[in-house]
Amino acid sequence: MAAPQRRLIFKHIDAPGYTNDIDCYIKHGGYDDLKKSITMEPTAIKDEVKKSQLRGRGGAGFSCGMKWSFIDAKKVTKPIYLICNADESEPGTFKDRQIIHKDPHQLIEGMIISCFANSVKLAYLYIRGEFPEGAKILERAIEEARAKNFIGKNILGTGYELEIYIHRGAGAYICGEETGLIESLEGKRAYPRIKPPYFPAVLGLYMCPTIVNNVETLCNVKHVINMGGEAFAKIGTPNNTGTRVLCVSGDVNKPGYYEFECGSLTMGELINDVCGGIRNGRKLKAVIPGGSSAKVLRAGEKFKLKQKGADGAMVDKEITLEDIPVDFDSFAAVGTMAGSGGVIVMDDSRDMVECLANISEFYAHESCGQCTPCREGSLWMKKITHRMAHGQARKEDSALLKNVADNIAGRTICAFGEACSWPVQSFLAKFPEEFQAKANKDEELVLGK
Amino acid sequence: MAITLLPEFENKIETAITHYPVSKRSASLPLLHLWQEEFGHISDEAIDWIAAKLDLQPINILELVTFYPMFRRQPFGKHHIRICRTLSCALGGSYETHACFKKATGAEGDDHGPVSSPDGKYTIEFVECLASCGTAPVVMMNDDFYEDVNESKIQELLQKYQ
């Protein structure tokens, strides 16, 4: 049986009687952590975050303390900006929407603490355009926080001043990429910038040092301050600290969002115990574990994972998809990623070529068009997967598709190149017979039998 | 160019610009959103007006309108119906939902892009992931959000949005 949920970020979300206004938030201890932080030295807050080993929840899993340490407020002469990335748009991910709609002040409080820690006086909250209601809720929350002197001039009498503004995107997935987001916030097309030299910590918004953090990461900062970095680091497993909000969708009986200590349950427990197993009495076929960009895993596949043996020494263990612990490092070790926490489950009636055609259409639509391999390649991957899915596959299509994908990854300015080619490469590698069967129509596979 | 703008609208524009003390250009997207909410689409006049307001060239605004999918150059129907197309919603039946909305409103066209009903009441559009994959398929009726929209809910929604 799976370990019980540990709700840290989602503690109050969906709780009976909990509302998203500031009075309810304060009644539940809200803004106490801000009051505590603002008496601390900013560097002491940064130390706690470093000690917590908190990793970014947006997709890359980069250390938050490390990201913050790139900027030394004492040495920087330019203004420092902080941007909350609420451009949630990785297919399979739907956690930020819940936080924004149901507990916006938790995010605002986390954001103010993070701004104070990094000597930020002007911050933006970049929310995707398709969240018009979320933007209104956040605007109201900011006004409420301003009325209580948590935002604005001379915050809580300390002399610290901070403004936070909401900035709405307009339907482009690429704005979730931090340098694309910055360009967009500057009023331009969201073409990602090349790194180096344009690391946000050095040349970010308006060419000033900038921190870009995900919604869930900023919420976590509040809890790091609440319990202290060392206590936070005890949640989860070493190097995979804290909790993880998992968004499960697709062919399960109980799709939804669940929060667990990192590494406290396995993929099998998540799917079978927490989500009630595969719907319609079918069998598990495939899982995309961390948003649609993550490489697909096939049921029945065997993976090698280093785990602690009986004598405490690390040994290579052969495990199945169901045995994989849900944390950053385990997913990386089996060749995919924990990404954004969006788990998409597919049952044995699903045509993998069709699923890939759907994903490839997404990436063809969302490529910003700046780099040729991605602009041209994503479109070709859509065209080829579509003709394969619609009975017009050519003999050479599997090889052609792989060739296109292999020529995108690693050859683009931003990680979108990997994001669009990893699904193609992994679907082809894991389900070669389904792609081949499309080319040899007389061998058509009968699915779900 | 003779555009008369309501004072409340101009106030909203001025307020939006104050949010970007470092660079007025940053107010491009907010101004485009405000304009589209007020007038329904981004006309040539809109592009010229916003560019002039922000001390930019019209091309700086036009290139945004052609890049960001939410902005439109043509008027849409009275109600904009957005149906999520991406994987989790597709697994939950969003292609059926999309087809059903088109059939029920008489909107024609194979395109995933916007198609309008003959009476001009509805514009139906397949869009990419709306970030609510656990309650697939999901639909936006104008700015309102609906979950688990299968065929049985479609008539009810169309009745509500007349």
Side-chain angles (χ1 to χ4, degrees), chain A residues 389-408:
Chain A
H390 292 99
Q392 290 165 331
R394 301 174 190 170
K395 281 246 177 303
E396 70 277 15
D397 273 352
S398 286
L400 180 61
L401 203 48
K402 182 174 184 305
N403 183 279
V404 175
D406 291 349
N407 280 293
I408 303 173

Side-chain angles (χ1 to χ4, degrees), chain A residues 81 88 91-94 97 122 124 128-132 165-172 174-175 184-191 206 249-250 255 279 288 344-346 350 355 358-359 361-362 365-366 368, chain B residues 18-23 25-30 33 37 56 60 62-64 66-71 82 85-88 90-92 95 112 127-135 140 142-145 147:
Chain A
Y81 298 111
E88 174 167 71
T93 319
F94 46 100
R97 176 195 279 278
L122 179 57
Y124 290 97
R128 66 177 297 191
E130 294 91 335
F131 286 0
Y165 294 116
I166 307 289
H167 186 93
R168 287 182 66 204
I174 197 63
C175 296
S184 179
L185 189 46
E186 291 186 358
K188 302 174 202 158
R189 286 184 163 201
Y191 289 148
Y206 309 128
S249 64
R279 64 186 171 195
I288 300 172
I344 307 175
V345 179
M346 285 155 277
R350 300 300 182 183
C355 290
N358 183 292
I359 296 174
E361 182 165 345
F362 172 82
H365 185 265
E366 300 299 344
C368 80
Chain B
T18 64
H19 294 174
Y20 306 95
V22 181
S23 163
R25 185 173 184 176
S26 286
S28 302
L29 286 191
H33 275 302
E37 277 160 27
L56 298 167
N60 300 136
L62 177 63
E63 68 172 359
L64 302 181
T66 55
F67 182 86
Y68 292 94
M70 280 177 70
F71 298 126
R82 280 176 274 194
R85 190 207 64 83
T86 320
L87 187 57
S88 299
L91 295 176
Y95 275 68
H112 286 180
V127 295
E128 300 303 335
C129 190
L130 288 174
S132 187
C133 319
T135 53
M140 284 178 82
N142 303 324
D143 278 356
D144 308 329
F145 184 70
E147 303 175 315

Side-chain angles (χ1 to χ4, degrees), chain A residues 112-252:
Chain A
I112 302 170
I113 296 170
S114 305
C115 287
F116 178 72
N118 291 289
S119 309
V120 170
K121 289 181 176 165
L122 179 57
Y124 290 97
L125 203 158
Y126 191 109
I127 183 168
R128 66 177 297 191
E130 294 91 335
F131 286 0
E133 197 189 334
K136 285 200 183 103
I137 291 168
L138 284 167
E139 256 158 27
R140 196 197 66 201
I142 286 174
E143 284 319 306
E144 288 175 335
R146 187 190 310 280
K148 300 260 185 213
N149 193 217
F150 300 141
I151 295 176
K153 292 200 185 338
N154 193 22
I155 293 171
L156 300 172
T158 57
Y160 174 58
E161 109 177 55
L162 170 69
E163 278 304 334
I164 300 178
Y165 294 116
I166 307 289
H167 186 93
R168 287 182 66 204
Y173 168 79
I174 197 63
C175 296
E177 199 281 340
E178 58 181 4
T179 60
L181 185 154
I182 289 170
E183 284 283 304
S184 179
L185 189 46
E186 291 186 358
K188 302 174 202 158
R189 286 184 163 201
Y191 289 148
R193 296 172 175 173
I194 195 156
K195 302 185 239 185
Y198 297 104
F199 291 107
V202 188
L203 297 168
L205 183 64
Y206 309 128
M207 293 300 140
C208 294
T210 303
I211 293 163
V212 186
N213 280 144
N214 174 262
V215 169
E216 191 187 340
T217 314
L218 290 167
C219 291
N220 267 299
V221 169
K222 170 201 147 72
H223 298 282
V224 167
I225 296 308
N226 183 281
M227 63 182 82
E230 269 168 35
F232 185 94
K234 290 200 178 102
I235 307 172
T237 59
N239 202 35
N240 298 270
T241 62
T243 62
R244 195 78 218 258
V245 179
L246 302 165
C247 309
V248 189
S249 64
D251 297 321
V252 289

Side-chain angles (χ1 to χ4, degrees), chain B residues 139-155:
Chain B
V139 166
M140 284 178 82
M141 303 292 290
N142 303 324
D143 278 356
D144 308 329
F145 184 70
Y146 293 92
E147 303 175 315
D148 300 303
V149 184
N150 43 43
E151 292 187 36
S152 63
K153 281 197 189 166
I154 287 171
Q155 279 307 332

